Amino acid sequence: MSNYYDRYEQLHAEGPFISQQHYMGRTIYVIGQKEAKQILGDHKRFVKDFQNTLPPEQRTPKVQSNDLFSLLYDTMLSTDAPDHTRLRALISKAFTNRQVQAMAPRIQQIADKLIDDFEAKGSGDLLDLYAFPLPIIVICELLGIPAKDRDKFRVWSHAFLGISMNDHTYVESLMAFVQYIGRTIQYRRNHPEDDLISRLVHAEDNGERLSEQELFSMIALLIVAGHETTVNLIGNGMAALLEHTDQLAILKNRPELIDSAIEEFLRYAGPVEFTTERYAAEDVEISGKLIKRGTPVTIILGATGRDPNEVENGSKLDITREAHQHMGFGYGVHYCVGAPLARLEAKIAFNTILNRLPNIRLAVPPISLEYNETSVVRGLKKLPVRWD
Ligand code: HEM
C-alpha cells in the first residue's frame, strides 16, 4: 500500500495530470486537488453520459434496456441532469443529517451487539467480525431487506466491483444479485413498509418518476455503495490507527478528536481511490492542459488528498489536522449522498471499539497487511487483531 502512495508522491512532482492509453483512447487521470475540484465542479463541461459529448443531432435517444448490465450498472452515477437530478431527489431525503442522526441509537445497538458476540474470542479478523457486518446491517434495515442475507451481498458486491472474481463466478453472481433485487421489489410491492425500497417501488408505481431499470440499479447502487465503502473506512482507518500508535494514544486521550480523525482517515487511506469516469463535453483547458471533447477523465481521489500544493506533510497521518483537505466523498453534483450516514457509522464504530476493547492491537506486522486488487475501492483482505 505505501508503495502506491509513494508513486503518487513522485507523480505530483511531474504535474496535476497523468495521460494514459485506455480502451476509449487517451484517458486523463487527475491527481491535482485544484484541478480535480474544477472538473468535478463543472458538471456541464464534464459529463457522465458519453452521449452528452456529441452534438445533439448525433445523440441516440436512451432506450430502456433490461439486460443484466443496465439493470445493475446504469445508475444515477452514470447520468446527467435532468435524469440525475430526478433520481437523486428520490433518495436524498433518506440521507439528510437529521434523518441519519435519528439512526444513531440503533447503530449503537448494532455495534454493541457485534462486540458482545466476539469479545470473548481475544483475537480475530476485525473486518469479518465488525467492519463488514455493521454497515451491511444498517443499509439492510434502511432499505428493508433481511440482514441475514448479508453474506450473499458481500459476494455480489465484490463481483459488482470486480474484486477477486473469475469471469464465470462474476456473471453468475451478478445474475443472482439481479434476481434477488427482482424478488425484493416484488415482495415490497405486495408488503410495503416504512423503508426505502417500499418508497422507491411506490414512486415507480405512481408514474413516470422511476423506470423499472432505474429502480433495479438504484437498489444495487445503494447496497454496494452503502456498505463496501463504509466497511473499508472502518477497516483502513482502524489499520492506520493501529499502525500509528502515537495517533491511537492521542485519540484515546482526546476522544473529542474522533470527527477530525475520521476526516483524516478519509484523506490518508480513503476507501474510494478513483471516481467514476467523466467525459469532456467540449474542448476544455485546465491549468494549461487541453482536454479534448470526448476524452475520459478520472480523478484519483487518494492522490488528491496528498497533493503537496494543498496538504502539508500529506504522507503523515495526523488526526489533529485542522483543515480537512480531502475529496474522499467526491465533489460537485455527484458528491456522495451517503456521506452523513458513513460518517455517523464510522464515528460509532470507532468510539465503541476503542471504549470496549481499549488494548486492541494488530496481530500481525503492518507490512503483512494485504489490500484487495481493485482500482476503485481500497480495502484490506483481512485485519487480524488481538485484545484482552
Ligand atoms: C466511507 C463511505 C463512503 C465513501 C468513501 C463514499 C464515496 C463516494 C464517492 C467518492 C462518490 C462519488 C463518485 C464519483 O463522483 O464518481 C460517491 C457517490 C455516491 N455514494 Fe458514496 N461513499 C460512501 C458511503 C456511502 C453510503 C453509506 C451510501 C448510501 C447508503 C452511498 C451512496 C452513494 C451514492 C448513491 C452515490 C452517487 C451520488 C450521485 O451520483 O449523485 N455512499 N460516494
Side-chain angles (χ1 to χ4, degrees), residues 40 48 76-78 84 88 91 95 139 142 218 221-222 225-227 229-233 266 270-272 274-278 301 327-331 333-339 341-343 345:
L40 296 183
K48 300 289 323 195
M76 63 193 283
L77 255 179
S78 51
H84 172 256
R88 192 164 166 123
I91 56 159
F95 296 100
I139 193 71
L142 190 93
M218 178 75 89
L221 178 66
L222 290 172
H227 83 281
T229 49
T230 315
V231 172
N232 294 315
L233 174 55
L266 282 156
V272 178
F274 283 55
T275 61
T276 51
E277 249 166 16
R278 269 88 181 146
L301 298 171
M327 299 175 70
F329 288 118
Y331 190 77
V333 293
H334 292 276
Y335 182 82
C336 179
V337 178
L341 176 60
R343 285 189 166 113
E345 287 182 58

Side-chain angles (χ1 to χ4, degrees), residues 177-189:
F177 193 17
V178 160
Q179 283 159 5
Y180 182 90
I181 295 173
R183 285 197 301 274
T184 306
I185 292 173
Q186 201 46 46
Y187 185 78
R188 283 291 170 232
R189 184 163 280 137

Side-chain angles (χ1 to χ4, degrees), residues 47-122:
V47 295
K48 300 289 323 195
D49 183 348
F50 185 75
Q51 287 284 324
N52 293 333
T53 68
L54 303 172
E57 66 283 2
Q58 287 177 23
R59 295 180 195 165
T60 42
K62 204 168 178 174
V63 280
Q64 280 298 318
S65 170
N66 279 356
D67 65 85
L68 181 65
F69 286 88
S70 308
L71 286 174
L72 290 177
Y73 289 104
D74 196 356
T75 69
M76 63 193 283
L77 255 179
S78 51
T79 54
D80 298 309
D83 285 339
H84 172 256
T85 325
R86 171 178 54 88
L87 293 169
R88 192 164 166 123
L90 280 170
I91 56 159
S92 41
K93 270 192 244 123
F95 296 100
T96 58
N97 267 325
R98 208 163 61 94
Q99 257 333 90
V100 162
Q101 285 307 325
M103 295 165 71
R106 175 65 189 135
I107 300 174
Q108 184 63 58
Q109 252 178 8
I110 298 168
D112 277 321
K113 169 79 172 74
L114 288 168
I115 300 180
D116 289 345
D117 289 348
F118 69 72
E119 192 172 8
K121 284 178 190 266

Side-chain angles (χ1 to χ4, degrees), residues 19 30 34 131 182 197 254-255 324 351 378 381:
S19 190
V30 184
K34 184 178 79 167
I197 292 185
R254 296 174 59 196
H324 295 295
N351 280 345
R378 175 189 290 273
K381 289 186 177 165

Side-chain angles (χ1 to χ4, degrees), residues 33 263-264 266-267 304-305 324-330 343:
Q33 193 172 117
E263 298 308 307
E264 179 67 348
L266 282 156
R267 183 196 71 77
T304 61
H324 295 295
Q325 296 286 47
H326 73 77
M327 299 175 70
F329 288 118
R343 285 189 166 113

Side-chain angles (χ1 to χ4, degrees), residues 127 131-132 135 154 158 161 163 224 227-239 265-266 269-272 346 350 371-372 374 376-383:
L127 294 187
F132 170 70
R154 193 177 204 180
H158 273 211
L161 292 166
I163 303 173
V224 175
H227 83 281
E228 198 65 58
T229 49
T230 315
V231 172
N232 294 315
L233 174 55
I234 301 170
N236 297 356
M238 213 49 212
F265 301 148
L266 282 156
V272 178
F350 282 102
Y371 283 78
N372 284 315
T374 162
V376 180
V377 174
R378 175 189 290 273
L380 288 162
K381 289 186 177 165
K382 284 185 186 313
L383 181 53

